[in-house]
Amino acid sequence: MVTVRLNVNGVAHEGRCEPRKLLADFIREDLGLTGTHVGCEHGICGACTIMFNGEAARSCIMLAVQADGAELMTVEGLMRDGKLHPLQEAFREHHALQCGFCTPGMLITALDLLRTNPSPNDREIREGISAVLCRCTGYQGIVNAVRAAAPILVAGR
Amino acid sequence: MEGTGLGWIGKSVKRVEDARLLTGRGTFIDDHPPVANACHAAIVRSPLAHAKIRGYELSAALALPGVVGAITGEDVARHTKPFSVGVTAPIHYYCAATDRVRFVGEPVAVVVAKNRYIAEDAADLVQVDYEPLPVVVDPERALDADAPVLHEAVGSNLAGNRRLVYGDPDRAFRDADVVVNERFTFPKYASTPIETYGVIARWDLLDGVCTVWSNFMGPFIMHPLTARVLGLPENRLRFIVPADIGGSFGIKSSIYPYIALIALAAKRLGVPVKWIEDRREHLLASSSGTDRVAYREVAARQDGTILGMRFKWLDNVGGYIRSPEPGCSFRPTGNFVGPYRFQHLEVDASVVMTNKSLTGPNRGYACGHLYFETEGMMDRLADRLGLDPVEVRRKNLIQPDQFPYRTPSGGLYDSGDYPAAFDRALELAGYDELRREQATARAAGRYVGIGLALAVDPSVSNMGYVATALDPQFRAKPEYLAKSGAVDSATIKIDPLGRVIAILGTTPQGQGHQTVVSQIVADELGLVPQDVTVVDEMDTFTRVWSISSGTYSSRFGSVGTSAVALAARKLTAKLVDYAAHLMELPAPSLEFRDGAVRLRDGKGPSYSIKDLAGRAHWNTESLPEGMEPGLQATAVFGFTVAKAVDAEDRVNSSNTYGFIAEVMAVEVDPETAAIKILRYVTVHDAGTIINPMIAEGQIYGGALHGLGGALYEELAYDENGQLLTGTFMDYLVPTASEAPQIEIAHVVSPSPLTPLGSKGLGESSSMTVPAVIANAVSDALAPLGIRINELPMTPSKLWKAIDQAQRTPTGVSAPLASGALQPRRGVSEPRESRALRPRAGVSEPRASFSGHPRSDPTSRTSLQ
């Protein structure tokens, strides 16, 4: 067993786990943050995407020990002061989710896109979110939501 | 329509589900363990497609620290029964292999440990002694006399065959001016929800109750089937479905064998057991639609009037036939003819077993297959007659004054205006302008094509259709019990302050039932949606349900919403009676309107719902004599048009029938075979639309499932029965970059059968996109003589066909068609080259289908 110390959504955590434990499992089982979902365990579907030291990363193909000392943000960390993040608001407004299973990974991925490209065009949005598979929405609502949220995030900076 | 005066119905109300799902607070099956100390299962699966099981060696696995125990097929054979199947052939389908494995990934043992990591370590240590057997994966090859037989008791790989005859098809073909034939193949694909299967089972040995939490979506007919398998009375088996299911699209209806398997593990090992399927398991062994070989014939007059059709199908259900199969063949029985008027039809449906994974409902259940073939035939007929594809379709459409329309196969189309919806699609797409642009593009050497697809969109299956698989003689036996039904229930409770809790027995997978129900109840009771709390976790011990319950077959928009409306109306009727008593007026002089009981003439005092609720709850003495206390009502809505299949094999296989009209324009790059969608217009008639935002979300999603099956997705197997697409790297799900822009419009023909006029819409364009894009690509490549009759149209396949056609002099049929017919090819090169090697008995037209010549006798080349 190894000790893993990390900061998640601004809160310091410490846990002990086997060295082989996946980061996604550690987040869900040891930290109780079940908002991060596991869809393929192959690093393809993107449902498990989290912010890892400020960049989007797939927690299903990382080990928890690799996150020792890291700063993470999961979907649970998006809300501020009891209010939805503007991107979450946009998702709701534009029907960018149905079953909601890919949504946590999609939100983090979209946030990462807007961090690196604050005013993307539709092609860039589609390419940016193509890292996450959604089987419900046909992506149109998600593209609309990201497009709508982009200027709000820029204005909020 | 009653109850819509306040207008929440028809508004794009934002979803109440979103708050929890956007913030990571959903309750999916893997999120919140409902039982303490659950142990974790890993399933040992067969690496071989066909083999006898000689024995199991568990000692190394059981010796691993942290392992609780294991069960094998021996336990399954000893302690469970096989599942009932939908055919009479003696097929013993258990929840795991007992003496023989019949597909790669078939469960053979379950190891249970303290955590999943240890369980998987132990599963690797389980030794199973297999004696390999010859393998067959091709449904046509599987019917050869010398093919390996999967189920010896059956004696062949034919699970069932029905020849259904409606009208006089032989005469229609004799009278025809023109007969067109084609062979089609449809791929095995699955809509692969991003959340995999999950089951948690607890077996209380003392009180004999087994409780199973799972993301099962229904139909709940699988509950009694599972109870029988486990040897439990139905009231000792409790199914609980959490509020959130991470997508399903039909696929999770086939989780029930795992419910039985994990329940058995919990019973035998004496601990609660949790199993979450991984993606590899899901692609290997969950469920998919069938791959199908279809032979189609259409008989028509010179003017394009269709006289009749013949369908000959081989549906490949994999290693066993699992209920509700053979729905693959019979689920569309009532809408076999689609939107067309012809009266003479022959359907020869064979259900074949091969060494592939098992099949079941997948979005559009069997209708993607049906319309890919029918709409392909419409274009071939138009081409043969020199007519525009629009004209040949218009000529044959059911007309608005024919509704309700009884189809020759027993369907009762409730409402519609097909020509109007078709015109709307053509107008929206600018069809004539598109044709002009196409002519210009063609003249410039570009490959631009326009495709059309029309479809009747059946919703709320009548479970009675399943019996179409049985011979009428069998169904005529006195001991045979007829089956029919399509019901759903809802309970509504009004609290003392006049707010409402609605309780459903549904299992939504993203369809927004809570939101939709809050809109309906708000309209019915004169509230705002925020006043309505909707609970939709299913629990077979506490919800009112029946065996056709569940969220499948586009059910909720039609039957579920009807139950909600009726429950609300029971309550408003009670409130009127109560107010009449308080007001000392005759009840007929009062009505419930805008949230209060009022005098019909609009004047005088009124009692608001809040006022009445407070009085009724706090002071039961105020109730009139004989009135039941409390303000709650349960309604069970059932369609009376859901009847059992008749002696002539006619059945109203669904209950409400919408309509879809689509136009797509594409351009194919002859160098890369890339298909670019230039325009895609889809017009839907689903009756009253309760929430347009949610309805359109279903259309966007359904269309992309159809596109996946048409272009990218295939559960491809090699000749040894090994799955070649076992991860999302190989099994290509469309991403946002592949998703087309979609132009959506609605035409509204309210259903006369539902209180709100609504119909289902959930499967929507998943059933038309394969047809419309195949037709568009065929049209684009018409100058090369290429016609699409096989999906998916992967770039490699399409490129080969283009390359071949370009080398072949115009007007001469390319030899590719017969040389590369089977097996179908997937994505990678090795498979391509194998497929091009002709195999004995498969590369030439088969004698058994001599009545259905393999290739169209025109000069066009089939894309294979």
Side-chain angles (χ1 to χ4, degrees), chain A residues 20 25 88 98 135 139, chain B residues 15 22 117 192 705 713:
Chain A
R20 65 172 173 171
D25 289 346
Q88 290 171 311
Q98 288 179 26
R135 299 243 61 178
Y139 303 104
Chain B
R15 301 199 323 165
L22 284 164
Y117 289 76
T192 56
H705 283 184
E713 297 179 32

Side-chain angles (χ1 to χ4, degrees), chain B residues 304-623:
Chain B
T305 304
I306 295 171
L307 300 176
M309 289 198 188
R310 289 197 181 113
F311 308 170
K312 189 175 178 87
W313 289 334
L314 280 86
D315 271 312
N316 183 355
V317 294
Y320 304 79
I321 184 166
R322 177 178 59 194
S323 289
E325 300 287 32
C328 51
S329 303
F330 304 109
R331 185 251 180 173
T333 299
N335 56 293
F336 275 156
V337 295
Y340 303 118
R341 285 195 310 266
F342 68 92
Q343 293 297 312
H344 307 289
L345 173 67
E346 177 186 333
V347 179
D348 185 329
S350 292
V351 180
V352 184
M353 296 179 289
T354 72
N355 298 112
K356 286 187 178 182
S357 65
L358 310 191
T359 62
N362 190 51
R363 199 169 195 170
Y365 196 17
C367 287
H369 304 60
L370 177 75
Y371 297 127
F372 169 61
E373 301 156 19
T374 297
E375 292 301 293
M377 292 309 285
M378 297 305 285
D379 275 15
R380 283 159 179 77
L381 179 63
D383 190 55
R384 173 72 73 81
L385 296 171
L387 298 172
D388 189 284
V390 169
E391 199 182 328
V392 78
R393 285 177 172 81
R394 268 202 191 123
K395 185 132 217 133
N396 290 286
L397 281 180
I398 295 162
Q399 296 300 303
D401 60 3
Q402 292 182 282
F403 289 93
Y405 180 80
R406 181 68 76 177
T407 69
S409 51
L412 184 68
Y413 295 171
D414 47 335
S415 63
D417 187 342
Y418 300 168
F422 188 23
D423 285 348
R424 180 91 183 86
L426 293 168
E427 178 202 322
L428 200 59
Y431 181 75
D432 295 335
E433 178 60 27
L434 278 180
R435 283 286 177 210
R436 283 192 287 276
E437 287 172 15
Q438 180 191 30
T440 310
R442 268 199 187 152
R446 290 164 58 201
Y447 294 95
V448 171
I450 301 160
L452 305 172
L454 306 182
V456 168
D457 182 351
S459 51
V460 193
S461 60
N462 160 20
M463 52 178 272
Y465 83 75
V466 178
T468 316
L470 307 170
D471 285 322
Q473 296 86 331
F474 184 88
R475 299 196 304 256
K477 290 180 185 174
E479 63 271 26
Y480 173 78
L481 298 173
K483 294 174 182 65
S484 68
V487 307
D488 212 341
S489 79
T491 297
I492 296 179
K493 308 192 291 184
I494 303 178
D495 69 24
L497 286 173
R499 296 191 190 91
V500 169
I501 291 179
I503 304 167
L504 314 177
T506 62
T507 52
Q509 314 117 38
Q511 296 94 328
H513 290 186
Q514 290 178 300
T515 306
V516 169
V517 170
S518 73
Q519 291 175 253
I520 297 168
V521 175
D523 268 8
E524 293 288 339
L525 298 183
L527 304 168
V528 293
Q530 291 79 0
D531 286 337
V532 184
T533 296
V534 183
V535 182
D536 57 3
E537 294 108 292
M538 174 58 170
D539 179 339
T540 57
F541 272 19
T542 62
R543 297 299 188 274
V544 176
W545 62 281
S546 183
I547 54 177
S548 62
S549 295
T551 300
Y552 64 101
S553 135
S554 301
R555 230 165 180 76
F556 184 71
S558 183
V559 67
T561 55
S562 298
V564 170
L566 292 190
R569 289 173 195 183
K570 277 189 178 178
L571 279 173
T572 52
K574 184 171 183 173
L575 291 172
V576 166
D577 286 344
Y578 179 38
H581 175 67
L582 296 175
M583 295 159 89
E584 296 180 345
L585 287 169
S589 68
L590 302 172
E591 64 178 346
F592 189 89
R593 191 175 74 242
D594 297 340
V597 179
R598 303 167 196 275
L599 285 158
R600 280 191 188 273
D601 63 13
K603 299 182 185 69
S606 66
Y607 275 95
S608 72
I609 186 169
K610 183 179 173 183
D611 190 356
L612 291 169
R615 291 167 189 267
H617 279 289
W618 284 102
N619 182 17
T620 55
E621 190 190 348
S622 67
L623 299 171

Side-chain angles (χ1 to χ4, degrees), chain B residues 194-217:
Chain B
I194 302 299
E195 181 203 39
T196 56
Y197 287 177
V199 178
I200 303 164
R202 181 181 71 199
W203 199 304
D204 296 313
L205 291 172
L206 291 178
D207 57 9
V209 172
C210 177
T211 305
V212 181
W213 294 262
S214 74
N215 46 17
F216 176 58
M217 57 170 269

Side-chain angles (χ1 to χ4, degrees), chain B residues 9-20:
Chain B
I9 288 177
K11 284 208 170 81
S12 289
V13 172
K14 304 306 170 202
R15 301 199 323 165
V16 293
E17 291 85 351
D18 290 356
R20 66 173 185 272

